[in-house]
Every structure is written in structure tokens, then in C-alpha cells.
């Protein structure tokens, strides 16, 4: 982690972006007006990656340097676009988290149901006289029952929390102090 590349102001780290033109901040494929435009993927990756590198607690502000004249309308548009973009992304990430947890709940119900069935079947195979087939069926059912729990356990133990961390970063960036300056 090389935090030396980030300037410090008031004890907090500053993310700096230098652009030739303010249009470079936005996704050029998006035909929407600028206040509603998506930010450029590379800019988003850089900003989010910087926050991950430094941690949310150490972020002070985001400075956008433009190699063009900056007026108050342009500054307001850029600040609004950055805040709106990350606010939308935070809300979208909340939706994705809800969806993954709903999938986890459904998967858990299915997994527990199948595990119950598998344990029941495994406990009834004692009537099979052939030792190989009795062991094969018993162990196979138990194994399949526990494997059916893989997806819900994976969701609840591992999948959702990286999304929650990303949502926290987006929420932070939706309120970060943004300064737009001429370079």
C-alpha cells in the first residue's frame, strides 16, 4: 500500500484526478445529459480503488483538476454528477445485497429440506443386505445432503459482505467533498 501518492490536507488523504477536459470524467457512450451521466469506468475504478487502498476513514476529499477554465456551473455539475453517480451505485448495491440474501434464504430452505430427506434416506438403508450398496447409498445421500447446503452457506458466510463493503465505499463517495480546480 503506497499512500505516499495521495496528498494530505487537514490530516486526511486526497484523491486527485487530472483531466484534459471535463467530458473525460463521463462515459462517452451515455447519451443522457451530464447531470445524469454515468462516470467513466476508468475514473470510477481509480476512485474506488484509491478509497480501498487508503480506507474510508482516511479519505478527506476528491479533487478534480481540469486543463480548462472552470466556472461555478461546471463545478456544480461535476460535483452533482459524482455524488449522484455514487448515490445511485450505493442504492443499486443495496438492491443486489437484498437479492443475494433472498437467494440465500431460498437456498437455505431448499438445502435444509434436501438434507433432511437425505439423512432420512441414509437412516433407512440398513435394510439393504449388500454391504457395498448399503454403504454407497448411505454415504452418498449424506454427502449430497451436505453438498446441498454449500450454496446457502457460501452466500451467508462469504458472498454478501464484499458487496456491503463496496456499498459503504459508494455511500462515502456519494457525500465526499469534491473540489474542481483549473490545472
Amino acid at each position: 500500500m503506497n499512500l505516499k501518492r495521495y496528498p494530505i490536507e487537514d490530516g486526511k488523504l486526497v484523491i486527485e484526478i487530472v483531466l484534459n477536459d471535463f467530458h473525460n470524467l463521463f462515459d462517452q457512450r451515455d447519451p443522457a445529459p451530464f447531470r445524469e451521466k454515468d462516470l467513466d469506468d476508468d475514473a470510477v475504478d481509480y476512485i474506488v480503488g484509491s478509497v480501498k487502498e487508503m480506507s474510508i476513514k482516511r479519505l478527506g476529499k476528491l479533487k478534480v483538476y481540469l486543463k480548462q477554465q472552470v466556472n461555478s456551473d461546471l463545478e456544480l455539475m461535476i460535483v452533482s454528477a459524482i455524488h449522484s453517480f455514487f448515490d445511485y451505485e450505493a442504492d443499486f448495491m443495496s438492491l443486489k445485497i437484498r437479492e443475494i440474501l433472498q437467494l440465500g434464504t431460498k437456498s437455505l430452505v431448499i438445502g435444509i429440506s434436501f438434507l433432511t430427506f437425505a439423512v432420512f434416506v441414509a437412516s433407512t438403508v440398513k435394510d439393504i443386505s449388500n454391504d457395498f450398496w448399503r454403504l454407497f447409498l448411505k454415504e452418498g445421500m449424506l454427502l449430497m445432503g451436505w453438498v446441498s447446503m454449500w450454496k446457502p452457506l457460501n452466500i451467508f458466510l462469504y458472498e454478501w459482505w464484499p458487496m456491503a463493503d463496496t456499498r459503504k465505499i459508494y455511500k462515502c463517495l456519494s457525500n465526499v467533498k469534491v473540489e474542481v480546480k483549473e490545472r
Side-chain angles (χ1 to χ4, degrees):
M1 188 172 356
N2 182 12
L3 297 180
K4 292 178 184 174
R5 68 178 168 168
Y6 301 106
I8 298 174
E9 289 184 17
D10 301 323
K12 298 279 190 171
L13 297 171
V14 178
I15 299 172
E16 295 180 322
I17 299 177
V18 179
L19 302 170
N20 289 327
D21 184 271
F22 78 93
H23 292 96
N24 296 345
L25 184 62
F26 299 102
D27 185 346
Q28 299 303 311
R29 299 168 292 175
D30 188 357
F34 289 119
R35 283 183 301 289
E36 300 170 6
K37 285 179 81 78
D38 279 343
L39 298 183
D40 181 73
D41 291 342
D42 292 334
V44 171
D45 289 346
Y46 177 74
I47 294 167
V48 171
S50 296
V51 174
K52 285 180 180 180
E53 185 176 33
M54 68 177 60
S55 94
I56 291 175
K57 295 175 184 172
R58 299 191 68 188
L59 175 62
K61 66 176 86 166
L62 172 63
K63 280 189 177 179
V64 178
Y65 291 103
L66 297 174
K67 294 180 180 176
Q68 69 183 84
Q69 186 175 358
V70 175
N71 59 41
S72 60
D73 289 340
L74 180 59
E75 181 176 10
L76 181 62
M77 181 196 60
I78 290 172
V79 170
S80 176
I82 290 170
H83 287 160
S84 296
F85 175 82
F86 285 111
D87 188 50
Y88 172 82
E89 290 297 316
D91 289 345
F92 187 70
M93 192 59 67
S94 293
L95 176 65
K96 287 174 69 173
I97 291 169
R98 266 194 310 279
E99 288 174 350
I100 195 80
L101 291 177
Q102 287 173 348
L103 176 63
T105 302
K106 289 176 186 174
S107 299
L108 183 62
V109 169
I110 292 167
I112 287 174
S113 298
F114 187 77
L115 177 60
T116 302
F117 169 76
V119 169
F120 173 76
V121 170
S123 68
T124 61
V125 297
K126 58 183 170 229
D127 298 335
I128 297 177
S129 60
N130 185 312
D131 288 342
F132 172 78
W133 288 112
R134 182 176 56 243
L135 184 61
F136 179 81
L137 188 56
K138 179 181 177 186
E139 296 298 323
M141 290 306 293
L142 290 175
L143 181 64
M144 286 190 306
W146 287 111
V147 167
S148 71
M149 295 298 293
W150 182 277
K151 178 87 173 163
L153 290 175
N154 185 53
I155 289 171
F156 289 123
L157 295 177
Y158 304 110
E159 280 189 39
W160 72 273
W161 59 267
M163 292 179 190
D165 288 344
T166 301
R167 178 186 59 194
K168 199 180 296 183
I169 290 170
Y170 290 158
K171 254 321 187 200
C172 172
L173 289 168
S174 73
N175 296 306
V176 72
K177 180 176 171 69
V178 179
E179 292 180 6
V180 181
K181 307 263 186 202
E182 288 180 37
R183 185 79 172 189

